[in-house]
Amino acid sequence: MAFGSALGVACLAAVLTIPTILAAHDARTTSRAVYPGDNKNIVYQEYLDPYGSQPLRRVFFGRTGPGPAPVPPGIARLPRTGEAVVSPKLAEVLAANPRAAGLVPGRVTGTIAPAGLGGPDDLYAYIGAAPATLPEARALGHFGADGVRDELVDPSTLDILRFTLGCVVLLPLVIFLSVCARLSGESRARRLAALRLVGLSAKDTLRVNAGESVAAAFVGAVIGIVGYLGANELMARIGLPGLHWYPADGRPEVTTLVVCLLGCPALAWVVGQYGARRAASSPISVRRTGERRAPRKLGTLLLVPGLGIIGGYCVLSLMGRDPSGGSASAVLVPGAVLLTGAGLVFGLAPITAWLARRVAGTTKSLPLALAMRRTEVDPGSSLRVVTGLVLLVFGASLTQGVLVELDQVSRSTNPVQEYSLPLRQLSGQQRSETAEVVGVRTHVVSSPTWYVWGSEGPRTSGVVATCRQLATFVEKAEGCVDHQVMRIQDPNFSIDEDAVPGRTLPFLLSTGHKLKVTVPRASVTVRAYQPSEFAGPSLLIPPSLIPPGAFLSEGSQVLLSDADPATVRSVLDGIGAVAPTADVQPVGIVIDSLAQLAVIRSLLGVGMVLGLVIGVAAFVVSVADRAMERRGQVAALVLLGARAGTLRVVQVVQVLLPLVVGLGGALVAGWLAESSYLITGGGAVHWDWDGLPLLLGCALGVLLAAALASLPMVRRHVDPEHIRRD
């Protein structure tokens, strides 16, 4: 009980502290938010740019008068012209990459204290500059906002995160603590029954049990809090992908301590009262093996409304209807998920008992018959063994759905990802190095035609690429001929009226000359991804037309990579290392959303790890308890001549049957729940077929591990005490 409470409370504290970490980050970023006002001494201009896959914020200050000015948290004074104060992480970047010096003009005179940073990995800078160099400068007002600014996770996404972590961690945690309390009570049941038989009252018997359970749970809760504090100090220094925090942010608040130190003993008391009731009311049935009651079937009915709602949304999607949006879905889908999860837990015992009865009546195998009859008589023990793992697989399906939905929000659903960099901001070496960044498949140049500002002449845009490069960038290309200017036609876009065959259009070269391109009659038909730099250009220009050593000065170098998040982040980081001052535009991606997705992935990953730890711990504890519980029966079977192999097969089958039933139901119900979430979310992906093999592989791995873990639990040693008791 103490060990289970320690493990459970440590996991509970970790989950309850996640909102505290996020709130501490948001409070500091809100306190440094800069707002315009009527200060006549200081003007400012704020920039938000990507540095690799991370957002970089810079605030330039220009002094226009000698008077006082407000100071943001984390620094002692505003930097003067030519000075800069940067975050420690940005200082490391500047020291490691001399090319990034252009991001922070001036001399670095200090670093920003933690009070002015969201976290240790924050890229932030305050830079002093001449007011004339700030084209969009505004008078400085004050620092700090009434509402939350620059939050780490969007509030709507945070609600989804809380619900998912509740399903993945908190539900298995309650089951695990209940299992520990129940097993702790059952281990004392025979002693409590003996006390009852020698004259102790029923009320005093319950008090003895409650006192022991609460004491053990409280000791375990204290150990769990101490263990979490140590883990927080370590993890705060290591961090998670996309999320770093200060150790003080992760220390539990008073409410968290109260929930952990009082909630766990309270749960142990409630479960202990229920578990000891049989020993207090019917001690004879405890001291001697008695017939157990059949499991109640009412819990199975919870599956009906749960599966009915999520299945209904799936059917509507198959019929071509779009049930997304509306307030009803926001209530029905979470409610159906909770009902389905509860139905999986409470319906497992009666379903397993019914299945065991049917198999035992038809099988001719002795080991299988023994296993099925034991499961039929005591299906409640299977509930303790596999509930945590079943809920884990069910929660993993929901987690996949949340990640798929967030992935659609943060980037386009194209199989490829484009990155646009202005050629004016790249040197010749940087153009070559960015094209060779790990993960980049190919590159082209996109440019508008040259025109005089305010004129009404014809305007269009072109792409400098070979036919092979064109085919890589677009979904489909037909009729392309190398070394020849061609018109680009896309049936998804209207015809460009300025790209008239025979008309000559100029493109400005870096040498100051103009490349004149005549619009041909020959055309190439493409189907471009959307969004894409190819969704709109009208001319395909072969690279051989560009003079050696020159480039289209108004153009952009467009890189292409695969669209999986790991590759996108790797390519963005590579571009940031090669050309840190270039204005990178990931086509269809918002850098803030990409950073937020990394945080969500990390937090959900932590939730899955905690859920796995809880599920495995509950499984190990329950299997060990069942082995101890069955010692008398195993000893009797050994005396009757049962072989060791037969006993081990019986043990494995007893564990695997409820596990197969539970995991099978969790896979089906979880995938339907995930699909209903994606359908009501309104995204392009409704059916996560790619996630099924992973879940199926995890389920098979759990079955294999359970089978192997069950084998050592059967011993042929005969203890006379077990025979006497049974």
Side-chain angles (χ1 to χ4, degrees):
M1 184 65 214
F3 166 77
S5 298
L7 180 62
V9 165
C11 295
L12 178 62
V15 174
L16 294 181
T17 310
I18 288 176
T20 305
I21 294 174
L22 300 180
H25 174 281
D26 295 345
R28 289 192 295 268
T29 56
T30 300
S31 66
R32 75 183 181 192
V34 55
Y35 283 88
D38 54 359
N39 193 301
K40 299 180 180 180
N41 304 317
I42 294 288
V43 294
Y44 80 97
Q45 186 167 343
E46 191 173 9
Y47 292 89
L48 174 59
D49 304 293
Y51 177 76
S53 57
Q54 292 181 274
L56 166 65
R57 296 181 183 272
R58 297 173 294 170
V59 184
F60 288 80
F61 296 101
R63 182 167 288 277
T64 57
V71 179
I75 63 175
R77 62 174 179 83
L78 294 179
R80 300 185 180 93
T81 302
E83 295 179 347
V85 183
V86 301
S87 64
K89 182 65 175 180
L90 184 55
E92 294 178 6
V93 170
L94 296 175
N97 187 4
R99 293 178 176 178
L103 293 171
V104 184
R107 179 173 55 90
V108 177
T109 59
T111 57
I112 305 173
L117 298 172
D121 60 339
D122 211 352
L123 298 181
Y124 208 90
Y126 296 112
I127 304 168
T133 61
L134 305 177
E136 300 179 4
R138 294 185 289 179
L140 178 62
H142 64 278
F143 294 94
D146 296 332
V148 179
R149 272 278 306 269
D150 304 330
E151 61 267 6
L152 191 60
V153 178
D154 183 78
S156 60
T157 306
L158 185 58
D159 293 337
I160 298 173
L161 176 65
R162 287 170 177 161
F163 178 76
T164 308
L165 288 178
C167 294
V168 174
V169 181
L170 295 184
L171 287 180
L173 180 60
V174 172
I175 297 296
F176 172 62
L177 292 176
S178 301
V179 165
C180 290
R182 182 75 179 272
L183 298 185
S184 177
E186 288 190 359
S187 67
R188 298 190 300 271
R190 294 178 59 83
R191 181 166 49 83
L192 294 174
L195 291 175
R196 182 77 177 91
L197 289 173
V198 297
L200 194 66
S201 67
K203 183 179 296 185
D204 289 338
T205 302
L206 294 177
R207 286 174 179 173
V208 169
N209 181 67
E212 293 180 352
S213 298
V214 170
F218 184 78
V219 171
V222 173
I223 296 174
I225 289 293
V226 173
Y228 167 74
L229 290 174
N232 172 66
E233 297 294 324
L234 177 63
M235 289 303 301
R237 288 163 173 79
I238 298 175
L240 299 172
L243 177 62
H244 292 73
W245 65 95
Y246 297 107
D249 297 344
R251 291 167 189 155
E253 297 178 332
V254 176
T255 53
T256 301
L257 291 176
V258 170
V259 170
C260 293
L261 295 178
L262 297 183
C264 182
L267 179 63
W269 180 82
V270 172
V271 177
Q273 292 291 99
Y274 174 79
R277 190 177 302 167
R278 182 164 170 251
S281 61
S282 180
I284 291 295
S285 66
V286 174
R287 295 295 297 180
R288 298 177 179 177
T289 303
E291 186 177 352
R292 298 177 182 267
R293 291 187 307 173
R296 297 179 180 178
K297 302 178 181 179
L298 294 177
T300 313
L301 298 178
L302 295 175
L303 289 171
V304 177
L307 291 177
I309 294 173
I310 61 180
Y313 279 114
C314 295
V315 171
L316 288 176
S317 179
L318 290 174
M319 294 173 59
R321 299 184 181 180
D322 183 13
S324 62
S327 57
S329 300
V331 177
L332 288 177
V333 172
V337 168
L338 293 178
L339 288 175
T340 304
L344 287 174
V345 172
F346 295 113
L348 184 59
I351 293 175
T352 302
W354 174 82
L355 184 61
R357 188 181 309 112
R358 297 294 299 270
V359 174
T362 58
T363 184
K364 302 297 183 181
S365 169
L366 175 62
L368 189 58
L370 285 174
M372 293 300 100
R373 290 304 183 190
R374 173 62 184 171
T375 304
E376 177 188 355
V377 171
D378 188 16
S381 60
S382 64
L383 185 67
R384 302 196 305 261
V385 175
V386 304
T387 297
L389 296 176
V390 169
L391 287 178
L392 178 64
V393 173
F394 181 69
S397 300
L398 294 178
T399 302
Q400 286 192 160
V402 172
L403 291 176
V404 170
E405 185 71 17
L406 292 176
D407 201 29
Q408 294 182 85
V409 174
S410 64
R411 65 182 182 87
S412 64
T413 56
N414 297 336
V416 295
Q417 177 61 48
E418 299 176 7
Y419 317 83
S420 178
L421 297 83
L423 289 173
R424 287 177 180 266
Q425 300 178 9
L426 301 175
S427 65
Q429 181 179 357
Q430 288 176 326
R431 290 195 295 272
S432 300
E433 291 181 358
T434 52
E436 296 174 357
V437 167
V438 176
V440 173
R441 294 169 54 184
T442 187
H443 67 284
V444 299
V445 172
S446 175
S447 174
T449 54
W450 176 82
Y451 66 98
V452 178
W453 185 261
S455 64
E456 297 182 357
R459 295 167 52 188
T460 188
S461 58
V463 176
V464 180
T466 63
C467 290
R468 184 175 181 179
Q469 291 171 326
L470 174 68
T472 306
F473 265 86
V474 298
E475 186 177 358
K476 182 180 180 182
E478 295 179 350
C480 184
V481 179
D482 273 320
H483 308 293
Q484 181 178 333
V485 178
M486 306 190 75
R487 287 186 298 120
I488 299 177
Q489 293 185 340
D490 190 331
N492 295 324
F493 292 88
S494 59
I495 298 176
D496 188 354
E497 297 180 355
D498 288 336
V500 179
R503 175 175 288 174
T504 299
L505 300 172
F507 289 85
L508 185 63
L509 295 171
S510 58
T511 58
H513 299 87
K514 298 181 182 62
L515 175 67
K516 296 183 178 180
V517 178
T518 301
V519 181
R521 293 188 176 277
S523 64
V524 54
T525 302
V526 304
R527 183 183 301 160
Y529 296 110
Q530 297 185 34
S532 169
E533 290 293 318
F534 276 80
S538 301
L539 292 175
L540 178 65
I541 303 172
S544 56
L545 285 186
I546 308 298
F551 60 88
L552 301 181
S553 60
E554 297 182 350
S556 301
Q557 178 159 297
V558 185
L559 310 176
L560 184 81
S561 76
D562 293 332
D564 61 282
T567 301
V568 171
R569 293 181 64 87
S570 174
V571 171
L572 284 172
D573 290 338
I575 294 173
V578 173
T581 58
D583 184 15
V584 183
Q585 296 295 332
V587 179
I589 286 182
V590 180
I591 291 295
D592 280 349
S593 298
L594 188 65
Q596 178 175 282
L597 180 62
V599 174
I600 296 296
R601 284 182 179 275
S602 296
L603 294 179
L604 290 179
V606 170
M608 290 298 296
V609 171
L610 294 177
L612 180 62
V613 169
I614 294 168
V616 171
F619 173 78
V620 171
V621 170
S622 300
V623 168
D625 173 73
R626 288 198 67 193
M628 300 292 289
E629 180 185 337
R630 293 185 63 247
R631 287 180 301 179
Q633 298 169 6
V634 171
L637 290 173
V638 170
L639 291 179
L640 290 174
R643 298 178 180 179
T646 300
L647 297 177
R648 290 193 174 94
V649 171
V650 171
Q651 175 70 12
V652 170
V653 172
Q654 281 184 241
V655 172
L656 290 188
L657 175 66
L659 204 54
V660 169
V661 174
L663 292 181
L667 283 173
V668 175
W671 188 74
L672 290 176
E674 176 194 5
S675 300
S676 65
Y677 172 77
L678 293 175
I679 291 167
T680 55
V685 178
H686 286 183
W687 309 97
D688 182 23
W689 298 105
D690 295 337
L692 274 179
L694 177 62
L695 290 176
L696 186 59
C698 292
L700 293 176
V702 168
L703 291 175
L704 179 61
L708 295 177
S710 301
L711 294 177
M713 297 299 176
V714 176
R715 299 187 305 166
R716 289 180 56 81
H717 174 69
V718 178
D719 189 341
E721 176 69 11
H722 299 154
I723 301 300
R724 184 187 68 80
R725 287 181 178 179
D726 217 40

